[in-house]
Amino acid sequence: MNNGGEDHKGNAVNNMKWSVKVARIFGIDIEVHATFLLILALGAFQWGGEYGAPGAVFGMLLMLLLFACVVLHELGHSIVAKILGLPVRQILLLPIGGVSKLEKNPERPVHEFLIAVTGPIINLIIATILLLSTGASKWIGSLNARGLVDGQPMKPSGEALLLWIIAANISLAIFNMIPAFPLDGGRVFRSLLAMFIGFPRATRFASALGQLIAIGVGLFGILSGNLLLTLIALFIFLEAGHERAEEQARTVLTTLRVGDVYNKYALTLAPGDQVSQVVDYLLTSYQPDFAVVQGTRLLGVVTRNDVLKALAAETQDVYVAGIMEREVLSAEGSMPLDDVRRLMQGKGTRIAAVYDGEKYLGLISLDDIAEAILVSAYVKNQEMRRAAEASSQF
Ligand SMILES: [Zn+2]
């Protein structure tokens, strides 16, 4: 459908209201959601309360560095996606983390695996580089003894900053690798499963596991009075449910077959029926085409046009067998809808007979197909757009 472009424009407008583009790296727009300011305020508040104005500045600096690490994490996802031929719409930074929005879903499980795993790996690489290059690994052991790690915000210092960033990157890697959809770990899990059982079933398993973990984390959050953890668990639980519903919608639409669309309840004619009978049908039903069948065998098709021609030419009632078209294009019920449409257009006919092997099932017309495509396009606009947006966020 050619309104895809408009959808994207619409989204850009939507996001623009609440997010600001701060950079463009490797052709990928990086946008920050307005609510991200809350995180800066939180940092300022936490350290400012303990150490005054210098503390507030230090707190904001920490949050900005955390922000930079999240951007690098998302760039990891996005750059791998681009290398694999999946265009990246943008990276959006929210208070609860970042999302890389891809234009479409990875079609191969190995692609999803590589995209998902790169984010956490980037954080581990940052942590490792900082640990090794600064000698931090040597003095971290003595931190507790010096009272730097006691649950309070650390006293602003170079050491505290370094330690905080290392800890933040390790936390980002560990948290994201929890195998709970839609976290990276859940995507890694789904992609591994999908290699063996396909995306639809893998999604069901992965989202069920995601919801199970979310319930566990949520209960822990409630019992320990950790509001943030409870909210994150709720978010994971809902997102996992969305992912499952959208994967189902996608599966239905991409597997729309002729056998699903032909009219199963159509009126049929016997060869001995008369044209006046068909006129009755035409006047009392909306059906334009009638199959002429003997038992379960298709003999031909009588269309509204055939009837009108017969009425104009004949002075007396005739049998439908005399006016029916005997050459009818046949299509297998398992054929994708679009293939049959192309076949019909190629043969210059608007009707095809649908078969299941030797067994005649019914007729399908270009109008039926157009209607089915219209309906699925509508559903696509609703469900598929959401599917494309939600499922392609890392
Ligand atoms: Zn990620």
Side-chain angles (χ1 to χ4, degrees):
M1 298 293 120
N2 59 3
N3 53 5
E6 278 166 26
D7 287 343
H8 295 157
K9 245 184 282 163
N11 286 326
V13 170
N14 273 343
N15 288 334
M16 250 189 263
K17 271 194 256 171
W18 285 99
S19 60
V20 185
K21 181 176 154 186
V22 289
R24 190 174 165 86
I25 304 174
F26 299 118
I28 301 161
D29 284 340
I30 312 230
E31 296 188 5
V32 178
H33 201 263
T35 49
F36 194 85
L37 290 172
L38 287 174
I39 288 288
L40 281 187
L42 189 74
F45 183 75
Q46 247 196 322
W47 271 269
E50 201 80 14
Y51 306 105
V57 173
F58 183 74
M60 287 207 279
L61 180 65
L62 288 186
M63 293 306 159
L64 284 175
L65 284 171
L66 172 66
F67 160 100
C69 293
V70 172
V71 169
L72 290 171
H73 171 112
E74 295 302 329
L75 275 175
H77 291 312
S78 293
I79 289 168
V80 173
K82 280 192 96 166
I83 291 171
L84 295 174
L86 296 161
V88 180
R89 205 184 299 162
Q90 56 167 196
I91 289 174
L92 181 63
L93 292 143
L94 301 159
I96 52 161
V99 281
S100 297
K101 298 194 170 186
L102 312 190
E103 293 283 353
K104 54 181 180 178
N105 295 293
E107 276 165 27
R108 294 178 54 196
V110 65
H111 287 181
E112 178 171 57
F113 175 85
L114 291 172
I115 295 169
V117 86
T118 306
I121 285 178
I122 295 276
N123 294 119
L124 286 182
I125 291 173
I126 297 171
T128 307
I129 289 174
L130 289 178
L131 268 172
L132 298 180
S133 68
T134 59
S137 53
K138 296 195 190 84
W139 50 259
I140 272 180
S142 63
L143 286 176
N144 241 338
R146 287 190 277 155
L148 262 171
V149 187
D150 56 2
Q152 296 289 329
M154 293 176 290
K155 196 165 180 281
S157 71
E159 277 185 357
L161 185 135
L162 192 59
L163 178 68
W164 197 86
I165 286 303
I166 290 168
N169 276 288
I170 293 173
S171 308
L172 277 173
I174 292 173
F175 173 75
N176 278 293
M177 281 311 286
I178 295 171
F181 231 41
L183 299 178
D184 295 334
R187 294 188 181 282
V188 167
F189 177 63
R190 171 173 78 165
S191 64
L192 290 174
L193 272 184
M195 288 174 195
F196 300 99
I197 59 174
F199 269 120
R201 282 178 67 203
T203 304
R204 281 205 293 279
F205 277 116
S207 59
L209 178 67
Q211 292 193 321
L212 204 66
I213 292 174
I215 290 170
V217 172
L219 281 177
F220 179 77
I222 291 168
L223 292 175
S224 62
N226 189 330
L227 180 68
L228 186 65
L229 206 58
T230 311
L231 283 176
I232 287 173
L234 184 67
F235 168 78
I236 290 173
F237 186 88
L238 295 176
E239 275 302 306
H242 273 157
E243 291 272 356
R244 186 169 44 215
E246 279 153 6
E247 181 66 36
Q248 278 164 1
R250 188 163 38 231
T251 308
V252 169
L253 290 171
T254 53
T255 54
L256 207 56
R257 306 279 152 168
V258 179
D260 306 321
V261 171
Y262 79 92
N263 187 357
K264 295 173 184 67
Y265 309 106
L267 298 163
T268 57
L269 303 170
D273 283 342
Q274 294 187 306
V275 169
S276 57
Q277 173 74 59
V278 191
V279 173
D280 258 3
Y281 284 164
L282 280 173
L283 293 175
T284 55
S285 76
Y286 288 104
Q287 191 179 322
D289 312 305
F290 299 85
V292 182
V293 293
Q294 189 153 51
T296 56
R297 206 161 61 88
L298 178 75
L299 299 178
V301 173
V302 173
T303 67
R304 182 196 299 270
N305 259 350
D306 299 331
V307 172
L308 293 177
K309 261 189 259 168
L311 287 176
E314 311 286 341
T315 48
Q316 55 190 24
D317 217 350
V318 293
Y319 293 115
V320 291
I323 65 162
M324 69 186 183
E325 292 161 27
R326 287 164 197 275
E327 295 271 308
V328 186
L329 182 69
S330 41
E332 234 348 92
S334 59
M335 274 173 89
L337 215 47
D338 214 46
D339 289 6
V340 178
R341 183 174 62 163
R342 247 171 270 173
L343 193 65
M344 286 160 85
Q345 281 166 344
K347 299 266 183 193
T349 176
R350 48 171 288 279
I351 298 172
V354 184
Y355 286 90
D356 176 15
E358 292 286 294
K359 191 178 161 224
Y360 167 72
L361 297 175
L363 298 178
I364 190 165
S365 70
L366 281 178
D367 298 319
D368 297 331
I369 295 178
E371 195 176 287
I373 288 172
L374 216 72
V375 171
S376 74
Y378 173 77
V379 178
K380 246 182 202 150
N381 276 342
Q382 310 294 310
E383 293 291 324
M384 295 292 278
R385 195 185 67 205
R386 284 191 11 205
E389 278 176 5
S391 308
S392 53
Q393 294 179 356
F394 284 83

